[in-house]
DNA sequence: CTTAATGTGGCACTGAGTGCCGAGATTAGT
DNA sequence: ACTAATCTCGGCACTCAGTGCCACATTAAG
């Protein structure tokens, strides 16, 4: 077996990238709305064939998600780095807040992205499928901490609840009453603590 | 203006009902799977036109939901009937458990229904849209109790979390390790209490 | 019988997503 | 160079969900 050192792989080069395609699509979504932008519109604007679009994104619904899998990796690493002394709840609070820390320059883009994901019905529905992976990251961490299997009720329940808190916070953020996303996320998790502590 | 006392409205009678159509569809889903059953298949099996199917259900995804809106009304009434002395958390626990109390004769049907809703990706995605109403019922109750607006962070966050707990419990139930749905639901809510109480 | 109200379902269309396949592009090896 | 191997591209044709339009059927009431 030959080891490839520097070389690019053989074969025709990709004609575009997910990021570029995403940018083109976002512009169209912003101008005409998600529903009224067809895949053909996006492909045409990007100068590729409709068929090729589906080689970059499995569906139109996946466009707003950017490199979500990469973000999940980041979150996994961050969670692994949390010292064992940190209590579970605090670790989760920090994780949610950190995961959603956005560079100031990308705030507007992120807001638009989340507006699509959480407000367009088709995308709102689709989000459940993408967020499943997020939940599994959280459930895995909780499982590690508590000794439960990741698929057990406790980790799953906590993961679902935490996701819920995060989404609720995002919706407030999008509604515009409060600009500080990090604070909203934190308050949302603390709201659960308040509501569910009187066992 | 004439008051209609007993009479049926004029016009052609409906040729079937949601319930009957649902039954026909369920049989097909069970035999061939949800994805491989087309709307045309259902319509044909029910002896109606494809176009007519969409007068009974807004989408194929809505078939498994039965009379969910009616169920929500029931839940609303139950929550309204909860005495003010009952603490919030306990009221929510009871509400979730009661809402999902199924007559023994319909257990199998309910299981299959939930298997569809929670395991078929398209339906899992769609569930987010249907469960939004459920969340609003819960949020409304929490808002009433706490004096927050229903759209505020606290009620929304609690509603999201409670839904999450319920879904997590259902997944365990479907996985089959534990048959007692009510107990799973209760334990799931208590899991949140345990995880989020260490504020 | 006429009228008004209501349900039915065929037709044609849009748009997402997919399998197939030939054509284009690029690298490594001779 | 030439060739083989390896990718990517994108057209074509197809399936299926969902929708607007519209003619037609059915029924209660005057």
């Amino acid at each position: 077996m030959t080891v490839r050192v520097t070389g690019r792989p053989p074969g025709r080069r990709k004609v575009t990238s997910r990021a570029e395609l995403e940018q083109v699509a976002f512009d169209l979504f912003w101008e005409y709305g998600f529903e009224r932008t067809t895949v053909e519109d996006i492909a045409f604007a990007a100068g590729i064939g409709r068929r090729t679009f589906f080689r970059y994104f499995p569906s139109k619904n996946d466009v707003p998600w950017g490199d979500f899998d990469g973000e999940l990796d980041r979150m996994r690493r961050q969670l692994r780095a949390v010292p064992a002394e940190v209590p579970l709840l605090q670790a989760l609070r920090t994780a949610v807040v950190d995961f959603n820390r956005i560079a100031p320059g990308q705030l507007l883009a992120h807001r638009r992205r989340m507006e699509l994901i959480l407000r367009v019905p088709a995308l709102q529905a689709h989000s459940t499928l993408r967020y499943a992976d997020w939940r599994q990251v959280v459930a895995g961490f909780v499982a590690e901490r508590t000794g439960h299997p990741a698929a057990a009720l406790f980790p799953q329940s906590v993961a679902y609840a935490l996701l819920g808190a995060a989404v609720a916070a995002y919706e407030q953020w999008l509604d515009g009453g409060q600009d500080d996303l990090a604070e909203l996320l934190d308050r949302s998790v603390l709201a659960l603590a308040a509501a569910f502590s009187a066992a």
Side-chain angles (χ1 to χ4, degrees), chain A:
Chain A
M1 155 184 183
T2 350
V3 177
R4 185 180 308 284
V5 181
T6 105
R8 65 164 64 266
R12 183 170 175 172
R13 283 167 201 160
K14 290 182 196 276
V15 75
T16 181
S17 65
R18 284 176 67 94
E20 191 182 341
L21 215 40
E22 185 187 320
Q23 191 50 57
V24 170
F26 263 67
D27 290 346
L28 293 175
F29 293 161
W30 183 249
E31 187 165 3
Y32 304 105
F34 179 83
E35 320 267 14
R36 275 174 311 186
T37 304
T38 72
V39 170
E40 197 171 5
D41 292 337
I42 302 169
F44 180 81
I48 63 173
R50 201 181 79 97
R51 190 64 183 81
T52 300
F53 170 88
F54 287 105
R55 292 227 170 70
Y56 286 84
F57 294 96
S59 81
K60 183 183 161 189
N61 289 341
D62 285 301
V63 172
W65 288 84
D67 184 27
F68 189 64
D69 291 340
E71 299 289 299
L72 285 188
D73 281 339
R74 185 168 62 86
M75 182 161 177
R76 248 183 294 262
R77 283 194 304 273
Q78 278 180 329
L79 280 174
R80 253 196 289 272
V82 174
E85 309 89 69
V86 180
L88 183 64
L89 178 58
Q90 191 187 318
L92 294 177
R93 276 173 62 192
T94 315
V96 171
V97 172
D98 282 355
F99 181 73
N100 294 288
R101 203 180 297 284
I102 311 299
Q106 299 182 353
L107 251 189
L108 182 60
H110 188 242
R111 186 173 212 118
R112 289 188 180 169
R113 181 193 299 275
M114 296 310 292
E115 233 154 64
L116 286 174
I117 289 178
L118 296 181
R119 291 220 216 268
V120 175
L123 296 176
Q124 198 181 325
H126 186 70
S127 74
T128 301
L129 304 179
R130 300 300 308 255
Y131 281 139
D133 294 336
W134 188 93
R135 283 190 290 105
Q136 291 327 304
V137 172
V138 173
F141 175 74
V142 174
E144 188 90 9
R145 277 303 187 92
T146 59
H148 291 94
L153 179 62
F154 187 85
Q156 291 293 320
S157 192
V158 172
Y160 262 115
L162 197 67
L163 174 61
V167 172
Y170 260 105
E171 285 178 353
Q172 296 295 312
W173 186 57
L174 294 178
D175 282 347
Q178 157 71 283
D179 265 9
D180 189 340
L181 176 58
E183 193 200 315
L184 279 167
L185 288 163
D186 206 48
R187 276 178 44 209
S188 192
V189 176
L190 291 181
L192 297 193
F196 288 91
S197 61

